[in-house]
Amino acid sequence: MPVSGDLSTLGPAAQTSISLAFDLINEAGGVNGSQIEVFHRDSGTNATLGADAASGLVNVNHTNFIMAAHASPVTIAIAESVTIPNGVLQISPGSSSKAISALDDNDMVFRTRVNDGIKAQALVKLAQAIGYKRVATTYVNNAYGESLNESFIENFEAIGGIVSAAVPHELGQASYISELSDASEDDPEALITIAYPDSGTTLLREAAEGGYFDEFIFVDQTKSQSMFDTIGGNHFDGSFGLAPGSPETPAVRAFRRVYSERTGNDPNAQIIAEAFDAAIVLALAIEQADTDDSVAVRDELRSVANPPGEVVGPGDIPRALELVRDGKDINYEGAAGSIDFDENGDVLSSMRVWQMMDGKIQDTDIFALPGDDIDLSSIK
């Protein structure tokens, strides 16, 4: 997980969530009569650093399973250089690039984060609900940004929308005025901002202070209160964003309760639910496989996460393990929603609309699955 680099604000909470999941498993007897040990490493939000860290985990710590990463380029680098060649099962809680679905991975790379194709469909529905017909995009120039930007343009133009400019930006620049100038040409109504928090701080400050844009749509990675606090979130009041999110199911409530009680941290923080779910389904699959062999565990991931079976969730960990030990089928419904893996190891999840109000991120009660229209009449 990233504890340094552009996504450093997201990594520590994900590490805490993963540790909590394995604590709950171990308190319920562990898997196959043994306790799970977790080694945390920093991906640095960097493909080379992430791959080096993963290589150390496999070759030095002899880990059979890796949960990595948040940034899609890091996940891809780890998969291609470490986990796939070594036959190590990999689950990403945070990466959404469509390129991950296309990896030649022998079904060894899974993820609990919804992919960009699904996010883009909901993003277009949000732009349509606001009434935008002509927008510009700026996107981080990597596998995540390219994937979401490409999918958004394809879906927006399919409904008659116009993308007047699509401008890539690099991480860590001192200024993004050139990119903002290019994006603001031809009078777009809003800027679709596909950015990471650290770089987004500079980019959005310049966008607001320079008057390049008055209206924005944000995505999951820009759902960062610390970023808006640094800039001055009041500049963006009224603007909307989208991030993966599930309605208040019993599983979601159970996770938030146990996470709050056991960690004292914010149970609504980004990617902690997906990280928790990744750890739990991995542990249940190890128990189901009755071995820690990566391929055998891979073959059981869908059997514990997908229907059919007795529904279990974050509040039922001892019961879930008991059912598996008794040879019963289970269907894990997670903190982030239904964790039903398809043939690519991807999941389908709903998206939640959020809005900037009084300088703060406010979650709404508006959720959308791919293809759903979004109705903002209750809050606009």
Side-chain angles (χ1 to χ4, degrees), residues 136-138 167 169 173-185 188-195 198-218 222 227-228 231-237 239:
T137 70
T138 182
V167 183
H169 64 264
Q173 292 181 201
S175 174
Y176 294 95
I177 288 176
S178 176
E179 288 82 356
L180 289 166
S181 296
D182 290 343
S184 61
E185 289 183 1
E189 299 166 280
L191 180 67
I192 312 298
T193 311
I194 304 170
D198 280 11
S199 299
T201 300
T202 302
L203 188 151
L204 288 170
R205 178 190 289 117
E206 292 180 334
E209 292 178 353
Y212 291 98
F213 290 89
D214 296 318
E215 298 186 43
F216 302 81
I217 292 183
F218 300 110
T222 41
M227 180 188 75
F228 286 115
I231 303 168
N234 58 296
H235 290 298
F236 309 97
D237 281 354
S239 287

Side-chain angles (χ1 to χ4, degrees), residues 71-91:
S72 293
V74 183
T75 291
I76 293 169
I78 289 172
E80 291 182 334
S81 65
V82 180
T83 58
I84 296 172
N86 287 282
V88 171
L89 180 61
Q90 178 178 349
I91 306 178

Side-chain angles (χ1 to χ4, degrees), residues 29-113:
V31 291
N32 305 334
S34 298
Q35 299 281 284
I36 291 179
E37 183 178 10
V38 58
F39 302 92
H40 289 300
R41 297 291 184 268
D42 178 17
S43 72
T45 325
N46 178 281
T48 301
L49 294 177
D52 287 346
S55 179
L57 288 169
V58 170
N59 295 308
V60 177
N61 300 105
H62 306 294
T63 56
N64 292 42
F65 315 101
I66 287 182
M67 277 174 282
H70 277 19
S72 293
V74 183
T75 291
I76 293 169
I78 289 172
E80 291 182 334
S81 65
V82 180
T83 58
I84 296 172
N86 287 282
V88 171
L89 180 61
Q90 178 178 349
I91 306 178
S92 168
S95 296
S96 58
S97 171
K98 293 187 298 181
I100 295 170
S101 303
L103 287 171
D104 184 12
D105 63 355
N106 193 31
D107 199 29
M108 294 297 282
V109 180
F110 289 69
R111 52 181 162 179
T112 50
R113 187 73 162 178

